[in-house]
Amino acid sequence: MKKYLLLLLLAGHQAAAQTPAPLTAHLDKVKLTFALSADGRPTYAVTYGTKPVVNTSRLGLVFQDKQGFDGPLTLTGSEVKDVDETWQPVLGEVKTIRNHYQQLTVHLRQPAAPGRRVDVVFRVFADGVGFRYELPRQLALGNCVVTDELTEFALPADHQAFWLPADYDTNEYLYTKSRLSAVDNSAQVKNSTEIAVRVAPDAQGVATPLMLKADNGLYVNIHEAAQVDYPAMQLHVDRASHRLTARLVPDAVGSKAFWHAPASTPWRTIIVSDKATDILASKLILNLNEPSKIVDTGWIKPMKFVGVWWEMQVGRSDWKYAESLDTLDARGRLLPTGRHGANTQNVKRYIDFAAQHGLGGVLVEGWNVGWEDWFGNWKERVFDFVTPYPDFDVAGLSAYAKSKNVSLIMHHETSGAATNYEQHLDTAYAFMNHYGYSSVKTGYVGRIIPRGEHHDGQWMSNHYVRVAEMAAKHHVTVDMHEAVRPTGLSRTYPNWLASEAGRGNEYNAFSTGSPPAHETILPFTRLMGGPMDYTPGIFRLQGYSASDPKRQVHTTLAKQLALYVTLYSPLQMAADLPENYEAHLDAFQFIKDVPTDWDDTHILAAEPGDYLTTVRQAKGRDEWYLGSITNESARQQPVKLDFLTPGRRYEAIIYADGPDADWQRNPASYQITRQVVTNKSKLTLRLAPGGGAAVSFKPVAAKQ
Ligand code: NOJ
Ligand code: CA
């Protein structure tokens, strides 16, 4: 017995001697610990002050050749460095961004042949941690196929989560707020109205960004940064232990990523604070992205635009020209239905409206041949992106728009056929250059071609980057619909102005809509990775649908105005029809005034699922714009105006819910008041159920 005890003690001693001491990095309250477990597997943990954020969690990558980094590893070295620098985004929420972190790099090696090496690089910021796997160039590792990633996020408790199902093809779902122990997406996926859903995901799978709230007051956001050449990370929730495990979106053959070293994963991000407002103010994800690859960025402009679009969404006109490919006239030409929205006369109406109100662009969808056959047939060669329908005079309209100082915005719906789009990219963008289009909205509705690939897999992630690069080559800005959710790549490709990649306002047009809480959750989830083309600004909130008279937008009119501030995007649509703005020109003034590019931003009050108040300073001007929104509950929102320049007087124009406003019963009730304020003033904004308020602050001209 004594002999056995001695052996056991000796064995324990030897293991302890071989396991290196944990390594740490920290900044302010955030501390990261890296350690090898007793059996040699890499792990990490994160704390915020005294509170655990992520308990000891596994790291690792699995390769198809079974010689990946899932077994024991030896620590061969480590380095720590401190970085504190600033940079200026081309377009953004603030003028200058501080990038301040402590970096810990750990070098790991397989103890036995082939002795492959991997580094894990951690960056610790004052508001969280980012880390990624880097495969250095090495003889023992060339081509490799990643089949799994073992990264875990072991959460210390059963947090409240704001989650979406982990679908391989779409994020166009409603958020569910539940404890982690209650995550179950099966009903939601089954009942989804989203046309792109292809794969029944893991019932305990959630998408990122995942927003969490702990009972001890911590807010935690898990996502990724710089998703390039790798699939999107989703998370499997272990309901009993609250341990989240990375799940990568597979490709057509079930693999996750085809690589050749050197290569690296995207950064896995954990943003943490005891204030919800700090989560929204975080620049951690942008900081983890590479600086702009575009050197001359002077041509990249933010924009507000209207479009031949909502009228199709609500069923008042159509994208297609003929009923079907087989409805032909006696001469064998497509027979028009008379409902085609993108006809020359109608487009001119939008150009006139944009010119009259100083809005920069007009989006036209359904201008090009292919819409009779656009969706559901999983085919290539539906669109060529350069052939207009007979009633769309591309040359005449381009000249007309130019004469009115308005830009036409191109639309490239690919119907998921990314291969077809890539074959036409160069000619399509040259066509845009020829006709003076400086911006394109792309779309990927339906199943992807190459068949078997997913919207969020490695192949498509690389496709979106190729599109952004091709657009940059042609000095074109891009807005991508149905693309993978963003991960801060707008820093690297500042011409990639926005993406949809979530459930936008359009769901209020063609489905039962999204509840009033939706827009209070989006900034904590979808928008953590970058700007969203949400398409706010609907003024006719009831009775707009051609098919369903009961359909309504789930906000008040004043809340639609506030969204221009609370949902950041350098590209903002005034989504409603010209006639609906003409009926409320006083309220439309806010949309005309509100900028899309900013020098400063303050998140004044926020709680995911409940409310949000944001104020921003216009680029290069001492003008401020505030948006305040609530969920279905009415609220009084106090606002201190201490962000204004001391000693200056400003005229505040307050676009508020009317006293009787209510998103369901009386959404269009609003009132506009003016008052002179200083940085010592306070406002109390009264938000109706499903309501909001928007305020502009402009300096009062000094008296002579
Ligand atoms: C879905 C997009 O989200 C929407 O904005 C667009 O109008 C349609 N696809 C057609 O391309
Ligand atoms: Ca969409």
Side-chain angles (χ1 to χ4, degrees), residues 396-574:
L397 282 168
S398 301
Y400 188 70
K402 197 171 170 202
S403 76
K404 300 251 170 175
N405 205 17
V406 168
S407 299
L408 286 180
I409 300 178
M410 176 50 74
H411 185 229
H412 289 164
E413 173 58 63
T414 68
S415 57
T419 41
N420 183 59
Y421 191 37
E422 293 205 359
Q423 284 157 31
H424 291 92
L425 268 187
D426 214 358
T427 44
Y429 284 82
F431 178 90
M432 287 179 56
N433 288 154
H434 180 74
Y435 288 109
Y437 287 76
S438 60
S439 195
V440 63
K441 170 179 170 181
T442 62
Y444 297 87
V445 171
R447 301 170 88 172
I448 294 296
I449 304 180
R451 295 191 183 88
E453 293 297 340
H454 294 288
H455 286 75
D456 294 359
Q458 183 194 26
W459 197 94
M460 281 303 287
S461 298
N462 289 339
H463 166 82
Y464 307 126
V465 171
R466 283 196 288 278
V467 170
E469 284 173 344
M470 178 62 83
K473 200 176 123 194
H474 289 269
H475 283 200
V476 162
T477 56
V478 204
D479 166 23
M480 300 194 197
H481 277 230
E482 292 85 42
V484 67
R485 79 282 185 271
T487 56
L489 284 169
S490 54
R491 177 176 180 191
T492 313
Y493 302 100
N495 66 317
W496 189 344
L497 294 188
S499 305
E500 180 197 42
R503 194 173 160 103
N505 221 8
E506 63 190 48
Y507 272 77
N508 288 307
F510 58 70
S511 78
T512 49
S514 308
H518 187 61
E519 292 99 348
T520 71
I521 303 171
L522 282 172
F524 287 95
T525 49
R526 160 63 186 79
L527 277 95
M528 291 300 293
M532 180 170 186
D533 181 24
Y534 187 71
T535 67
I538 301 305
F539 277 14
R540 185 165 178 199
L541 300 144
Q542 294 171 311
Y544 50 79
S545 166
S547 58
D548 181 355
K550 292 215 186 69
R551 199 155 284 174
Q552 69 178 102
V553 176
H554 295 202
T555 74
T556 63
L557 190 149
K559 182 171 173 180
Q560 289 289 316
L561 297 180
L563 296 177
Y564 286 89
V565 182
T566 59
L567 294 171
Y568 165 68
S569 178
L571 188 73
Q572 289 281 25
M573 187 169 198

Side-chain angles (χ1 to χ4, degrees), residues 215-267:
D215 290 343
N216 66 6
L218 282 191
Y219 295 85
V220 180
N221 184 280
I222 300 177
H223 188 36
E224 59 181 317
Q227 189 212 327
V228 178
D229 201 23
Y230 204 70
M233 177 182 74
Q234 307 183 328
L235 299 167
H236 171 80
V237 180
D238 185 296
R239 293 195 285 235
S241 68
H242 326 125
R243 187 176 292 267
L244 315 180
T245 310
R247 292 274 193 272
L248 304 175
V249 173
D251 66 15
V253 293
S255 303
K256 308 298 165 46
F258 283 74
W259 265 358
H260 189 285
S264 47
T265 64
W267 297 90

Side-chain angles (χ1 to χ4, degrees), residues 599-677:
D599 268 347
D600 203 3
T601 290
H602 301 280
I603 313 294
L604 301 180
E607 184 62 33
D610 292 349
Y611 56 85
L612 171 59
T613 301
T614 302
V615 69
R616 305 187 194 269
Q617 184 189 2
K619 188 94 197 161
R621 300 200 301 276
D622 188 22
E623 281 178 19
W624 295 78
Y625 292 81
L626 180 146
S628 184
I629 60 169
T630 179
N631 60 6
E632 61 288 339
S633 304
R635 252 169 249 280
Q636 305 270 346
Q637 179 62 56
V639 181
K640 282 206 240 163
L641 305 187
D642 52 5
F643 50 83
L644 296 173
T645 306
R648 236 188 202 179
R649 295 163 77 239
Y650 296 78
E651 183 186 41
I653 307 181
I654 304 165
Y655 303 76
D657 288 324
D660 53 350
D662 178 300
W663 76 269
Q664 246 170 328
R665 285 179 283 106
N666 197 7
S669 165
Y670 64 91
Q671 60 184 23
I672 302 173
T673 54
R674 291 162 190 264
Q675 67 187 80
V676 173
V677 297

Side-chain angles (χ1 to χ4, degrees), residues 61 87 146 151-152 160 318 344 391 397 418 526 594 598 672 694-695:
L61 292 172
W87 59 280
V146 180
T151 307
E152 293 176 343
Q160 288 282 6
D318 212 333
T344 300
D391 60 348
L397 282 168
R526 160 63 186 79
V594 68
W598 309 95
I672 302 173
V695 189

